[in-house]
Amino acid sequence: MVSTGEVEPQRDDRVRGLMLVGLMAAVMWAVEIVDVVAGDLDSAGIRPRNVDGLVGIVAAPFLHGGFGHLFGNTIPFLVLGGVIALSGLARVAAVTVIVALVGGLGVWLVAPASTLHIGASGIVFGFITYLIARGVWSRRALHLAVGVIVLFVYGGTLAFGFVPTPGVSWQGHAFGALGGILAAWLLDRRRH
């Protein structure tokens, strides 16, 4: 038997990880309800190369352009985030932070000026690529299997998410995906 040095998370740690993912999704829904009732929270999204738009790096994943947009992000966010959360609270938190920072900063740096970027799809794309890349770097059978399943289920979404489409932040998708790959590489226990 070969040890990868990776410690299996305890059941309570997995539950806390799942709770974090559920809490983030609940906050997304609460924010959208407040946005509909009170109005204009979406203006706190990422505004490229605008210093005031930097707050959007943290806020954008919780802001959505309506309930349809939110619903479209919620299911994959919960499913993919839940799979990552099975590796524990620290893992899902670290992946989410890395993806949000890389994705948000990338959008802020390269997206067209005078645009506004909101939504959790950058996080979703980061979760997809994290799960695929984790299998490649860890070389653990379970991680490889999960990566193949994720690629099979979300491969089309991944491919079409990078196609420039009016009203869709392909930059958020692309930089979120890069963040997921970076998270898998940074968090790979074999590197340490």
Side-chain angles (χ1 to χ4, degrees):
M1 177 180 242
V2 176
S3 172
T4 63
E6 189 166 331
V7 178
E8 288 296 318
Q10 298 296 317
R11 181 181 180 278
D12 289 347
D13 193 41
R14 290 179 176 144
V15 170
R16 285 190 293 273
L18 290 167
M19 288 173 60
L20 176 62
V21 171
L23 177 64
M24 287 188 290
V27 169
M28 290 176 201
W29 280 86
V31 166
E32 188 58 29
I33 290 167
V34 170
D35 186 45
V36 168
V37 173
D40 205 26
L41 294 180
D42 293 344
S43 64
I46 301 169
R47 285 182 272 136
R49 291 170 304 289
N50 181 320
V51 175
D52 293 337
L54 285 170
V55 72
I57 293 171
V58 174
F62 298 99
L63 303 169
H64 290 82
F67 287 107
H69 182 211
L70 175 57
F71 184 76
N73 281 331
T74 299
I75 300 300
F77 180 86
L78 288 171
V79 170
L80 297 164
V83 171
I84 297 168
L86 294 176
S87 294
L89 174 64
R91 176 64 52 122
V92 74
V95 170
T96 303
V97 167
I98 293 167
V99 168
L101 288 175
V102 171
L105 283 171
V107 168
W108 190 82
L109 288 169
V110 305
S114 301
T115 57
L116 180 68
H117 300 259
I118 58 173
S121 59
I123 303 291
V124 169
F125 275 73
F127 284 177
I128 292 169
T129 58
Y130 168 79
L131 288 166
I132 294 167
R134 177 182 69 173
V136 171
W137 273 299
S138 77
R139 296 190 185 122
R140 292 180 63 189
L142 177 62
H143 293 171
L144 284 167
V146 167
V148 168
I149 291 167
V150 167
L151 185 59
F152 177 75
V153 173
Y154 291 103
T157 300
L158 194 60
F160 289 111
F162 302 134
V163 176
T165 305
V168 176
S169 178
W170 67 267
Q171 299 93 343
H173 298 166
F175 284 102
L178 286 174
I181 294 167
L182 180 63
W185 182 74
L186 288 173
L187 300 173
D188 179 35
R189 301 251 189 236
R190 293 177 315 117
R191 291 186 54 245
H192 303 290

